[in-house]
């Protein structure tokens, strides 16, 4: 899958991040070795469905994905927020109608966000490169951007000029439980079962609540 700071970061020394370290620690205990390929998340889902890859480092569990992916319980809880340009704050619980929202292509943001789309209250604008989402927001392409808080914090820490232009709205929009996911076409169910047992023994399973 593509870069997802602070969970997955591609660099000259190879992939690093919270999820990479956890996988490197746990996978050898169930006979697996982590080899990462950098690709947009939407394409990674397609590759997992077709059997072109053996899994995704992190993904949220949804019924439509369970037909081709086997998931562990959550290992991280990722809170997602609407970011806006400074000086253009609004109460999203009251005034979401008519807003254009930048999102990551191929990502699912939960039932509430989907209900806004279904009711045509908002216009989603998908980007394939999540690292550019806040930059595009600052340039005024859309009214708000929906992005994971930890990812946004990581990106803004590296771009102080951008951090002065955007800020998150409160409260959190949603929380995404993030799990390891294995392609069923590559014995994914057995792999997920083995890793789940290990996660239980280590006490590493998370409860994700708003």
């Amino acid at each position: 899958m593509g870069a997802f700071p602070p969970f997955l970061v591609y660099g000259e020394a190879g992939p690093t991040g919270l999820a990479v370290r956890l996988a490197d620690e746990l996978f050898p205990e169930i006979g697996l070795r982590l080899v990462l390929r950098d690709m947009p998340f939407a394409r990674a889902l397609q590759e997992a469905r077709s059997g072109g890859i053996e899994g995704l480092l992190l993904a949220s569990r949804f019924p439509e994905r369970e037909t081709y992916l086997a998931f562990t319980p959550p290992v991280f809880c990722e809170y997602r927020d609407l970011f806006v340009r400074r000086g253009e704050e609004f109460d999203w619980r009251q005034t979401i109608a008519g807003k254009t929202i930048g999102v990551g292509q191929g990502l699912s943001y939960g039932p509430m966000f989907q209900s806004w789309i279904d009711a045509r209250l908002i216009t989603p604008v998908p980007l394939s490169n999540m690292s550019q989402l806040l930059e595009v927001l600052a340039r005024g392409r859309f009214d708000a951007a929906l992005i994971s808080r930890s990812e946004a914090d990581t990106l803004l820490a590296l771009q102080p000029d951008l951090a002065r232009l955007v800020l998150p709205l409160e409260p959190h929009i949603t929380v995404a439980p993030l799990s390891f996911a294995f392609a069923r076409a590559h014995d994914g169910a057995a792999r997920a079962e083995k890793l789940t047992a290990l996660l239980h023994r280590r006490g590493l399973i998370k409860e994700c609540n708003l």
Side-chain angles (χ1 to χ4, degrees), residues 127-139:
L127 293 186
S128 60
N129 189 339
M130 287 294 291
S131 66
Q132 295 179 351
L133 199 59
L134 295 177
E135 298 174 35
V136 176
L137 167 66
R139 294 199 296 267

Side-chain angles (χ1 to χ4, degrees), residues 73-155:
V75 291
F76 298 103
C77 301
E78 184 59 1
Y79 294 90
R80 287 167 169 164
D81 296 316
L82 281 174
F83 276 73
V84 297
R85 292 177 291 278
R86 289 185 182 272
E88 300 181 15
E89 297 91 333
F90 61 90
D91 185 342
W92 63 261
R93 295 165 297 185
Q94 302 293 329
T95 58
I96 198 65
K99 302 294 185 183
T100 55
I101 311 292
V103 296
Q105 187 173 7
L107 299 185
S108 177
Y109 292 98
M112 182 176 66
F113 190 75
Q114 187 60 48
S115 72
W116 295 347
I117 296 174
D118 294 342
R120 298 185 179 180
L121 290 175
I122 64 164
T123 302
V125 182
L127 293 186
S128 60
N129 189 339
M130 287 294 291
S131 66
Q132 295 179 351
L133 199 59
L134 295 177
E135 298 174 35
V136 176
L137 167 66
R139 294 199 296 267
R141 181 175 170 186
F142 27 72
D143 299 311
L146 186 51
I147 187 172
S148 299
R149 174 65 73 92
S150 61
E151 181 173 12
D153 288 346
T154 302
L155 294 170

Side-chain angles (χ1 to χ4, degrees), residues 163-184:
R164 289 189 282 269
L165 298 176
V166 301
L167 80 168
L169 300 178
E170 299 294 344
H172 299 302
I173 270 271
T174 187
V175 58
L178 299 176
S179 304
F180 293 113
F182 298 95
R184 294 187 182 277

Side-chain angles (χ1 to χ4, degrees), residues 27 30 32 34 48 53-57 59 65-66 68-72 179-196:
F27 278 23
I30 60 170
L32 296 180
L34 180 65
I53 59 175
E54 295 179 78
L56 285 85
L57 183 62
R65 293 178 183 174
E66 288 190 280
Y68 58 93
L69 286 170
F71 293 85
T72 68
S179 304
F180 293 113
F182 298 95
R184 294 187 182 277
H186 294 279
D187 202 24
R191 291 175 171 181
E193 184 177 354
K194 289 180 181 178
L195 186 53
T196 295

